[in-house]
């Protein structure tokens, strides 16, 4: 895959101040050099962005056919961000990882909206939860998780349980939930967030961690 | 990484809302990047958001799986005997009536991420460029018309394909590759890639949509290059576009390719079932057996990631 950084002519105007980097932080030095247009630093940053995006997207189950476009988008937006931000992220590797997550969230949102991607539909339908398509031991584990999650959902306060039902069971978007409940969209987001927090804590008490849900 | 999980702190309502919008892909690119910058700097925030993102995805998948199971149950409750008879007929008749799968030869050839590397590697193309195709390194490119360049590229492809097929190249170390195939008769062609860690994926047909994949699986007889020739007509008239071929994912180690050919083109539902089988973790051996049972002739190739 092409790890070359965008051409200099594609770069957006930079802030005039010369970026200063802590010499003890190699990431910051690399970022600062890349901001100044140093070709080898930009090449290295492109390689880092590519490697981080590929490994993270593969880990999240992105099909190989969709990988190049998503990796390219992660690289492109990283360089667009570089052009506007002379200060390096505190942890470059973690930032690049979350950039891949961000690109994937955007991608999944588009698929949810269009309902045209059978591969994603299948992936979401079948992969982690369908006992029929997994090994018996995994299927048993998935059933245990499903039972535990159902119990945890029953323990949610009514207003949180309702918003969870609308979001996941009825697959309503924030706008549709807002229309039904007549509350501010931030309130909906906070309720979903609190519900997920409670579910996660409840699952933790039942012995299921985040790694069980991947 | 310097960001390590810490004791979770109570997030503000604004942070919760923003985190949800990020998980849902509802933030603008600029806002998403700003939020990711904060995630990279705040391990406590990152740990909370990451955990919730995974739970969110799990809940979505589980809800879809429930719908799927309900639909399946409903279908089966309407005349189980009739459905079973239909399934038996559908399963057995094609096997009884299916014609012999056509003979074919298949091989591997390296490809290139960039058009200039492909151009540089081909004597017919070296030093030249065309509208839509990246200029050659070092400048002073011999600018050709799209039609001229396309003809020269086709000659190069023919040479690459012939060489790979005649030498029977079935193993390759490369970051990108193409698959030359020579079909005795028109047939459906499927290429699957099985890595050492990740689930198997379908490389060809390249279309994710099962309906489109079913249409694209049928190839004419003769020599073809998968997924496509390196140089194809561009979107604008009189321009060309470069296609790099198949990618070998980073850290995959090696990819076992299953190239499967049969005369009858599979239905879209067949592609859906195959995808489900791959996502469930089917191995190359299991997939090969499945394809053989379904009337395909299967050949194996091996691509190793460059060290």
């Amino acid at each position: 895959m092409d790890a070359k950084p965008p051409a200099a002519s594609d770069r957006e105007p930079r802030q005039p101040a010369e970026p200063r980097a802590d010499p003890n932080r190699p990431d910051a030095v690399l970022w600062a050099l890349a901001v100044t247009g140093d070709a080898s630093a930009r090449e290295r940053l492109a390689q880092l962005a590519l490697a981080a995006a590929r490994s993270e997207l593969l880990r999240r189950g992105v099909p190989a056919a969709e990988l190049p476009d998503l990796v390219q988008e992660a690289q492109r937006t990283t360089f667009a961000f570089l052009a506007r931000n002379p200060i390096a992220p505190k942890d470059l590797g973690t930032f690049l990882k979350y950039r891949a997550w961000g690109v994937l969230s955007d991608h999944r949102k588009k698929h949810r909206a269009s309902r045209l991607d059978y591969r994603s539909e299948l992936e979401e339908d079948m992969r982690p939860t369908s006992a029929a398509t997994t090994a018996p031991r995994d299927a048993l584990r998935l059933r245990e998780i499903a039972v535990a999650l159902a119990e945890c959902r029953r323990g949610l306060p009514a207003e949180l349980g309702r918003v969870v039902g609308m979001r996941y069971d009825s697959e309503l978007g924030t706008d549709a939930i807002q229309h039904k409940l007549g509350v501010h969209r931030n309130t909906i987001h906070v309720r979903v967030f609190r519900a997920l927090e409670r579910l996660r804590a409840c699952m933790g008490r039942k012995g299921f961690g985040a790694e069980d849900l991947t | 990484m310097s960001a390590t999980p810490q004791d979770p702190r109570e997030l503000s309502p604004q942070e919760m809302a923003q985190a949800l919008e990020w998980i849902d892909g509802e933030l603008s690119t600029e806002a998403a990047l700003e939020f990711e910058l904060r995630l990279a700097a705040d391990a406590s925030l990152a740990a909370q958001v990451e955990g919730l993102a995974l739970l969110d995805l799990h809940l979505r998948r589980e809800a879809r799986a429930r719908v799927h199971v309900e639909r399946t149950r409903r279908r089966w409750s309407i005349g189980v005997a009739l459905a079973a008879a239909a399934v038996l007929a559908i399963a057995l008749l094609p096997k009884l009536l299916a014609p012999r799968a056509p003979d074919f030869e298949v091989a591997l050839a390296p490809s290139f991420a960039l058009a200039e590397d492909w151009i540089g590697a081909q004597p017919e193309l070296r030093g030249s460029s065309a509208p839509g195709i990246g200029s050659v390194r070092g400048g002073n490119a011999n600018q050709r018309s799209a039609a001229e360049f396309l003809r020269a590229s086709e000659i190069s492809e023919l040479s690459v394909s012939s060489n790979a097929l005649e030498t029977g190249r079935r193993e390759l170390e490369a970051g990108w590759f193409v698959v030359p195939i020579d079909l005795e008769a028109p047939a459906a062609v499927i290429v699957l890639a099985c890595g050492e860690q990740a689930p198997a994926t379908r490389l060809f047909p390249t279309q994710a949509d099962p309906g489109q994949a079913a249409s694209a699986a049928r190839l004419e007889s003769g020599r073809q290059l998968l997924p496509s020739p390196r140089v194809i007509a561009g979107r604008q008239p009189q321009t060309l576009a470069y296609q790099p071929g198949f990618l070998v994912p980073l850290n995959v180690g090696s990819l076992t390719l299953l190239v499967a050919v049969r005369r009858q083109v599979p239905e879209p539902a067949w592609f859906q079932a195959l995808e489900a089988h791959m996502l469930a973790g089917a191995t190359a051996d299991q997939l090969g057996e499945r394809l053989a049972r379904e009337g395909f002739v299967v050949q194996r190739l091996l691509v190793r990631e460059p060290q």
Side-chain angles (χ1 to χ4, degrees):
Chain A
M1 190 176 295
D2 185 7
K4 287 176 72 177
S9 58
D10 295 342
R11 278 180 244 143
E12 294 176 27
R14 288 194 303 275
Q15 295 187 8
E18 190 69 19
R20 283 195 299 267
D22 178 351
N24 296 319
R25 286 180 55 215
D27 285 359
V29 173
L30 176 70
W31 187 274
L33 286 170
V35 168
T36 64
D38 181 283
S40 66
R42 292 174 68 82
E43 178 76 29
R44 177 71 186 136
L45 181 62
Q47 284 172 355
L48 286 175
L50 181 145
R54 281 170 81 178
S55 70
E56 198 56 31
L57 292 170
L58 279 172
R59 201 168 71 81
R60 303 288 307 276
V62 171
E66 294 172 14
L67 199 60
D69 285 349
L70 295 182
V71 169
Q72 194 175 38
E73 178 63 7
Q75 270 189 315
R76 187 190 68 74
T77 49
T78 300
F79 271 88
F81 188 67
L82 170 84
R84 289 188 300 273
N85 293 273
I87 306 300
K90 187 175 173 192
D91 182 332
L92 183 58
T94 309
F95 171 73
L96 294 173
K97 175 183 119 171
Y98 287 121
R99 181 76 294 261
W101 281 51
V103 167
L104 186 57
S105 292
D106 195 42
H107 179 67
R108 285 195 164 126
K109 179 199 167 192
K110 285 175 188 154
H111 281 321
R112 275 202 298 277
S114 67
R115 291 276 180 207
L116 289 177
D117 187 86
Y118 288 78
R119 188 191 296 256
S120 295
E121 291 284 317
L122 272 170
E123 181 195 354
E124 294 195 3
D125 278 353
M126 310 297 292
R127 199 175 66 174
T129 52
S130 172
T133 56
T134 47
R137 191 183 300 170
D138 292 342
L140 187 63
R141 181 78 172 156
L142 289 173
R143 268 201 293 275
E144 287 172 355
I145 291 173
V147 169
L149 198 50
E151 283 175 8
C152 290
R153 281 185 64 170
R154 280 196 291 275
L156 286 176
E159 79 174 9
L160 300 189
R162 191 171 178 209
V163 86
V164 164
M166 287 178 170
R167 179 179 167 92
Y168 298 106
D169 300 336
S170 306
E171 294 191 82
L172 299 182
T174 304
D175 290 342
I177 299 174
Q178 185 181 12
H179 182 70
K180 276 184 179 287
L181 296 183
V183 295
H184 193 273
R185 59 187 293 119
N186 273 9
T187 306
I188 295 164
H189 284 141
V190 169
R191 283 184 192 174
V192 173
F193 195 98
R194 290 203 186 286
L196 291 175
E197 271 185 331
R198 285 180 182 235
L199 290 176
R200 191 166 65 135
C202 175
M203 292 295 282
R205 285 194 297 275
K206 290 176 182 291
F208 298 103
E211 68 281 3
D212 293 305
L213 304 176
T214 55
Chain B
M1 288 183 196
S2 64
T4 52
Q6 297 168 349
D7 290 337
R9 64 175 171 80
E10 178 70 16
L11 302 185
S12 70
Q14 286 75 17
E15 284 177 315
M16 292 183 193
Q18 199 176 25
L20 246 292
E21 287 186 326
W22 181 74
I23 289 169
D24 288 349
E26 287 182 1
L27 292 178
S28 67
T29 303
E30 183 61 26
L33 280 157
E34 292 293 345
F35 187 69
E36 287 149 18
L37 201 59
R38 290 187 53 207
L39 289 175
D42 185 341
S44 174
L45 175 68
Q48 290 188 69
V49 171
E50 199 166 314
L52 298 195
L54 294 173
L55 182 56
D56 174 78
L57 186 60
H58 186 88
L59 283 164
R60 284 191 190 282
R61 285 170 174 166
E62 200 189 58
R64 293 256 173 86
R66 262 202 310 277
V67 170
H68 180 80
V69 167
E70 279 304 311
R71 278 190 198 143
T72 309
R73 268 194 202 135
R74 224 175 293 145
R75 282 192 207 113
W76 273 96
S77 66
I78 305 169
V80 173
L82 191 64
V87 167
L88 273 177
I90 290 165
L92 293 177
L93 276 177
K95 283 191 176 177
L96 295 173
L97 302 177
R100 181 182 63 86
D103 287 336
F104 71 101
E105 288 176 26
V106 68
L108 288 165
S111 193
F112 307 89
L114 301 175
E116 49 260 52
D117 293 331
W118 158 244
I119 292 167
Q122 304 308 311
E124 292 84 358
L125 300 174
R126 200 167 295 142
S128 63
S129 68
I133 292 288
S135 59
V136 294
R137 293 204 169 103
N140 302 322
N142 168 25
Q143 184 77 15
R144 295 188 189 181
S145 72
E148 277 179 336
F149 192 96
L150 192 56
R151 266 196 302 278
S153 180
E154 283 168 353
I155 292 167
S156 295
E157 293 284 25
L158 198 61
S159 161
V160 168
S161 296
S162 300
N163 186 40
L165 287 166
E166 279 156 23
T167 56
R169 192 170 191 183
R170 304 179 73 80
E171 291 190 17
L172 182 70
E173 184 173 299
W176 293 82
F177 64 96
V178 289
V179 178
I181 186 167
D182 193 354
L183 291 166
E184 176 203 46
V189 177
I190 315 289
V191 182
L192 306 181
C194 308
E196 291 168 0
Q197 307 290 336
T201 54
R202 169 162 56 79
L203 293 185
F204 185 86
T206 53
Q207 291 80 357
D209 181 299
Q212 293 175 2
S215 309
R218 188 181 184 281
L219 298 181
E220 294 303 325
S221 60
R223 285 193 176 171
Q224 320 259 358
L225 194 69
L226 307 181
S228 72
R230 250 65 71 100
V231 177
I232 61 171
R235 289 188 180 171
Q236 301 299 320
Q238 304 301 314
T239 66
L240 300 173
Y242 176 73
Q243 306 292 310
F246 297 122
L247 167 72
V248 179
L250 193 68
N251 297 329
V252 74
S254 63
L255 279 180
T256 299
L257 302 186
L258 300 178
V259 183
V261 172
R262 81 174 186 195
R263 206 170 289 265
Q264 184 197 3
V265 177
E267 296 292 328
W270 180 89
F271 282 94
Q272 293 186 26
L274 180 69
E275 303 284 354
H277 194 193
M278 292 191 292
L279 287 170
T283 63
D285 288 344
Q286 289 166 337
L287 289 167
E289 284 166 17
R290 177 195 178 121
L291 290 164
R293 274 199 310 275
E294 290 168 343
F296 285 91
V297 173
V298 183
Q299 293 196 33
R300 281 183 180 234
L301 306 171
L302 184 72
V303 185
R304 280 186 294 275
E305 183 182 10
Q307 295 305 307

